[in-house]
Amino acid sequence: QVQLVESGGGLVQAGDSLRLSCAVSEGTFRSYTMGWFRQPPGREREFTAAISASADTVYHAEPVKGRFTISRDNNKNTVYLQMDSLKPEDTAVYYCAARSGSVTRNKYQYDYWGQGTRVIVSS
């Protein structure tokens, strides 16, 4: 059973930074594509960023491009989402997800999900 545990969320002001972490229990972490998705209040879960197993391919959604950066440490079984210049519209529950296939923005193609960490950005 693959377990994903997110951490690092909280309440911040616009313009601040946060770094989210997602620790994965599975020893084959280095073979997984990892993704970050977010679900703003009252809206559907949406793609935020993804990174391939070898980290040679990364995708960032347009609303976060240039402000957020996904990365991974295969020695620590952890994927990160560095979030800079936060805006109130970034307020959401952030989820990490894993899949054993190639990198994709499609949430329905991810096999494993964490419980989420809440980020609130005040203006």
Side-chain angles (χ1 to χ4, degrees):
Q1 181 87 16
V2 179
Q3 293 185 325
L4 288 71
V5 180
E6 302 97 335
S7 61
L11 171 63
V12 297
Q13 293 186 332
D16 285 351
S17 297
L18 277 177
R19 189 177 78 157
L20 306 183
S21 300
C22 174
V24 181
S25 64
E26 177 59 49
T28 56
F29 169 80
R30 60 183 66 243
S31 69
Y32 288 127
T33 283
M34 299 300 298
W36 284 100
F37 294 80
R38 66 185 185 182
Q39 188 164 11
R43 292 168 54 184
E44 292 190 359
R45 197 170 300 187
E46 61 188 31
F47 170 76
T48 303
I51 187 167
S52 62
S54 61
D56 59 352
T57 302
V58 296
Y59 296 151
H60 294 90
E62 284 300 324
V64 307
K65 203 169 283 187
R67 299 188 299 121
F68 291 12
T69 304
I70 189 171
S71 64
R72 65 189 296 156
D73 186 338
N74 285 347
N75 292 322
K76 295 183 177 180
N77 285 13
T78 301
V79 61
Y80 304 98
L81 186 67
Q82 177 66 41
M83 306 188 297
D84 298 321
S85 303
L86 282 160
K87 303 176 181 180
E89 51 263 45
D90 295 319
T91 294
V93 178
Y94 285 74
Y95 298 89
C96 71
R99 71 185 300 265
S100 56
S102 58
V103 62
T104 177
R105 298 174 177 89
N106 188 338
K107 62 186 176 185
Y108 298 108
Q109 295 182 336
Y110 284 80
D111 303 307
Y112 307 103
W113 291 85
Q115 293 300 305
T117 186
R118 188 176 302 275
V119 173
I120 300 173
V121 184
S122 64
S123 57

